[in-house]
Amino acid sequence: MEFRRLAAGALAALAFLVTAPASGQQGTLTSRQSEALAAYQRALADFKSILAERRRQIEAKQPLPSLPGQPLYLARIAVISTYKDLTDAIPSRIGKPNKFEIPPAYFDADIEPLIDEYSRLFDIMEAPPAGAQNSPTPFKDVADLAFAIARAKGLAPEHAEVAGRISLGLFFAETNGKQNVRNARSNTYMGSFQTGPSEDRNGRRKWEALKGAIAAIDPELSARDDKEEARTRGTDQRFNHWTNVRNGVMNAHADLFRDIPGIVKTLPDPIDQMKLFELIQIVPTPTRSALKSGDLLNYRVSSPTVMKHLRNNSIFAFGQADRSRSSASFREILAAMWLFNRKFERAMGKYAEIRVR
């Protein structure tokens, strides 16, 4: 009953926003300004429409289409993108800060309820499968596994702590800190670290090669791993929080843990460190090349494929000016990853809680 009341309230809010007039409109607009305003209004109407449609389908328990989150995601991108074009054309439309910490030039705080509804729908569509094997300590697991892996790779404790904090940031970047989730935009990437089957297998193979060193450093963690391995026998390890985190870290990130001392010197901001490791998820080859270059921040990428992958992950994705970029330095890429800031701030807060305990 309470859920129905909340859903009804969300739909009422959507209905209000559909009919509410746009604020801050100018009396006389140039052709460019009029086009930008019309494009934003269309994008906003489309976003509201798909949100309402998906909510109706869920409430009616209707079958959802394949990849049900993709239209919502694309509609949200279009809203932010066209709003940036609008504020470029009409700077007076830049409004107040918003609770999502999105730069005001990209987002109208008045539509915060739409993003809240977007998040609620994804929570429903990405709910873990019935057989998912949760952990009572999901955040500590991430930090402990990364710390042990980093120590087995030869890092000193203070740099192994950085590895733990970075890995917790990746957990928030991939799933907002939710364990064992599915993916409403992909049939490939699943679990707490959102890995594909081949990535999961590769990480498991690398873990087996390192496990002897892990056992020597932390016998208690090794014993926990044995229990989780037994628990997952005959199942998809991506839906056991422990094994998916373990395999995900080993697959993509563990080999770079040895670079952490140098990374910390170049990027003293912990959030920038998390962003760099998230780029290993998004564009691994150029990120590794940038690390090897000796001039990480000024290393430039210009491949259309790389730029496309960045845009597909909300980097240089919003507004014509950003989308027209044909190249970017890593300094510019890190600065453009502002949509990750809030997630990484939450990860840092959670990591501080874990270490205090």
Side-chain angles (χ1 to χ4, degrees), residues 14-62:
L14 291 176
F16 169 76
L17 286 165
V18 168
T19 57
S23 60
Q25 293 186 28
Q26 309 294 304
T28 303
L29 302 178
T30 66
S31 175
R32 175 181 172 236
Q33 290 171 333
S34 295
E35 290 172 1
L37 178 60
Y40 175 64
Q41 290 175 330
R42 284 194 301 271
L44 190 57
D46 289 345
F47 188 40
K48 296 165 185 171
S49 176
I50 187 62
L51 287 172
E53 177 187 13
R54 200 62 82 239
R55 172 59 71 181
R56 283 195 300 270
Q57 291 171 332
I58 289 171
E59 290 294 292
K61 302 188 183 317
Q62 295 176 354

Side-chain angles (χ1 to χ4, degrees), residues 54 65-74 118 122 125-126 184-185:
R54 200 62 82 239
S66 176
L67 307 182
Q70 186 67 359
L72 274 71
Y73 171 79
L74 294 175
Y118 174 91
F122 267 85
M125 294 185 293
E126 295 188 333
R185 297 178 51 222

Side-chain angles (χ1 to χ4, degrees), residues 76 80 97-107 115 338-339:
R76 181 183 66 105
I80 298 175
N98 56 84
K99 68 181 182 181
F100 304 112
E101 300 179 18
I102 299 173
Y106 290 81
F107 186 77
I115 304 302
W338 42 262
L339 207 57

